[in-house]
Amino acid sequence: MSTLQSPSSTTVLEHLEEDGPSQKCKGGNISSLPNDIGPQDKGFLNEYHGFWIPALATSGVIASQKYFQARDTDILLVTPPKVGTTWSKAILFALMNRIHYQDLQEHPLLTKIPHDLVPLLEGDIYTKKKVHDLNPAFPRLLSTHLPYVLLPTSVKDSTCKIVYVYRNAKDTFVSLWHFQNRLYPTTASLEEAFNKFCKGMSPFGSYWDHVLSCWKKSIQNPGRKMLFLKYEEMKEQPTTYLKRIAEFLDCPFSPEEEAKGTVNDISSLCSFDNLSNLDVNKSRKWCLPDHKMTLFSQGVDNAAFFRQGQTGDWVNYLTSEMTEKLDHIIEEKFHGIGLKF
Ligand code: A3P
């Protein structure tokens, strides 16, 4: 069996001495965490406090929990993987920075992948030093794949705004499967991957617990500023959602902006057709230079984040048994909780 190397445990754990390792990391070694390693299983997952964290990200998760200091003014994008994180980063960045980039021909989104404009807590906060370098812009725009319960305490204690994006579970699974195949070409068959997804063994999953933990928090604590967005609804009415997001971020479109078409301009700038056809997103790689991790230090093709950008592609992949099984899980998990799924 060949697996990607787990990140060096000492890199992060040497910084954890003051508080001691988490219960699940006793012994000081991430490799002691339960994991899902099986035949052909590259990019394996560690079980960490009830969620499945990619081995590549486990050190970053622990470091961000320990070191990240949220500010009340922060905007945090929280997403499970493959629900449209890249698109949402583009939208949030474009909305929050539109005053600085009125000439769209000069816009940073034309030359940088959104991941380079909006840091990922568990990806970019890898060492104590990096935390201080993190996105000095104000207000800070940050992102994470962490489920609510694993967010750094400072985030939970702050009044920072959270934008949460989710997506039809079947399309999320299909998108994830393609992404993993692209990253690790010998990934498990569709059936094996599907069974794992149903068991909750997906990156930062289970998928439903990820969505539910944040949704339930927003119900229990209505004062918490959270905006829930569904990929399919944003696809259907992008400009309506752009306005809604801008209001949530306290940067609503002015009547002048509406009149001169700024909403449509940002929608087009962030659209799949535009972003996926940019040279930066077609032929360059995204990497985290300080990551002592095989995959992300070598770089991942930016194009891997722009596959199809459609809704409903799952019908081309899932059998009727698979559809039934996932429908059953969704019904069981989401019944009566008031979230449109
Ligand atoms: P598909 O694989 O279904 O095409 P993430 O950014 O969370 O990794 O999610 C990736 C998914 O979002 C992929 O879905 C990708 O094609 C889609 N995507 C990327 N950019 C998009 C955009 N600008 N508009 C809509 N969907 C986009």
Side-chain angles (χ1 to χ4, degrees):
M1 177 182 57
S2 114
T3 54
L4 281 172
Q5 271 197 328
S6 185
S8 156
S9 310
T10 50
T11 314
V12 167
L13 293 184
E14 67 194 7
H15 297 302
L16 297 177
E17 286 154 10
E18 301 141 45
D19 299 347
S22 88
Q23 287 304 306
K24 291 272 183 136
C25 281
K26 280 218 163 107
N29 196 331
I30 288 171
S31 60
S32 68
L33 292 170
N35 59 53
D36 73 333
I37 299 174
Q40 301 185 329
D41 216 342
K42 293 187 175 181
F44 64 89
L45 306 171
N46 286 324
E47 192 195 346
Y48 182 65
H49 296 280
F51 285 85
W52 291 96
I53 306 296
L56 292 169
T58 311
S59 298
V61 167
I62 295 172
S64 58
Q65 286 177 331
K66 181 165 175 64
Y67 295 121
F68 178 64
Q69 287 306 315
R71 299 180 192 153
D72 290 343
T73 49
D74 288 343
I75 311 291
L76 185 61
L77 171 68
V78 182
T79 57
K82 312 323 294 173
V83 301
T85 313
T86 317
W87 182 28
S88 307
K89 284 185 178 186
I91 290 173
L92 294 176
F93 182 88
L95 287 175
M96 288 172 63
N97 292 288
R98 64 188 191 271
I99 187 123
H100 305 302
Y101 304 113
Q102 301 204 12
D103 178 0
L104 291 186
Q105 302 309 316
E106 299 289 319
H107 203 284
L109 279 168
L110 300 182
T111 50
K112 286 180 194 283
I113 186 165
H115 300 302
D116 278 339
L117 296 170
V118 183
L120 180 76
L121 291 192
E122 59 277 17
D124 294 272
I125 299 185
Y126 195 65
T127 64
K128 204 168 193 170
K129 179 181 155 289
K130 280 295 281 181
V131 182
H132 300 298
D133 298 343
L134 196 73
N135 196 351
F138 174 82
R140 298 188 304 183
L141 172 59
L142 306 159
S143 76
T144 182
H145 286 315
L146 282 172
Y148 189 90
V149 291
L150 294 187
L151 288 178
T153 312
S154 69
V155 172
K156 296 182 196 160
D157 290 346
S158 79
T159 56
C160 75
K161 290 185 176 161
I162 292 180
V163 177
Y164 189 91
V165 182
Y166 66 106
R167 183 182 191 183
N168 173 300
K170 294 170 200 152
D171 277 340
T172 304
F173 163 70
V174 169
S175 182
L176 177 66
W177 188 66
H178 279 287
F179 187 72
Q180 288 180 329
N181 271 324
R182 184 153 184 165
L183 260 49
Y184 318 108
T186 55
T187 299
S189 68
L190 184 79
E191 289 71 24
E192 285 172 85
F194 179 79
N195 287 334
K196 276 194 166 184
F197 187 80
C198 288
K199 284 187 203 153
M201 296 165 95
S202 55
F204 300 90
S206 71
Y207 179 59
W208 23 93
D209 286 341
H210 199 295
V211 181
L212 283 170
S213 71
C214 210
W215 176 249
K216 284 184 178 159
K217 214 50 197 172
S218 74
I219 305 278
Q220 287 161 3
N221 183 0
R224 172 98 230 189
K225 295 169 205 148
M226 279 196 211
L227 180 66
F228 275 76
L229 299 168
K230 192 172 180 201
Y231 179 92
E232 289 74 17
E233 292 176 347
M234 294 205 298
K235 279 289 290 183
E236 214 171 288
Q237 297 179 292
T239 52
T240 304
Y241 278 89
L242 278 188
K243 290 187 211 168
R244 197 167 291 173
I245 300 167
E247 271 168 32
F248 177 75
L249 299 176
D250 290 328
C251 57
F253 288 98
S254 65
E256 295 74 31
E257 283 182 305
E258 295 224 22
K260 70 176 187 198
T262 308
V263 190
N264 283 328
D265 288 347
I266 293 184
S267 177
S268 305
L269 174 70
C270 300
S271 68
F272 183 85
D273 280 353
N274 186 50
L275 294 184
S276 63
N277 282 308
L278 295 171
D279 183 51
V280 59
N281 296 327
K282 276 202 296 199
S283 50
R284 301 223 210 118
K285 283 179 182 281
W286 178 62
C287 52
L288 293 163
D290 287 341
H291 257 225
K292 310 228 175 351
M293 297 180 179
T294 324
L295 184 68
F296 285 92
S297 54
Q298 283 172 357
V300 172
D301 289 341
N302 288 354
F305 294 96
F306 302 91
R307 187 182 66 96
Q308 205 183 60
Q310 297 295 330
T311 58
D313 189 33
W314 63 268
V315 294
N316 299 313
Y317 294 89
L318 303 192
T319 62
S320 48
E321 289 80 39
M322 288 168 152
T323 308
E324 230 170 82
K325 185 169 175 180
L326 208 41
D327 281 342
H328 180 71
I329 296 173
I330 302 294
E331 170 63 18
E332 201 175 75
K333 297 279 178 186
F334 290 90
H335 180 75
I337 66 143
L339 184 68
K340 213 163 132 200
F341 207 79

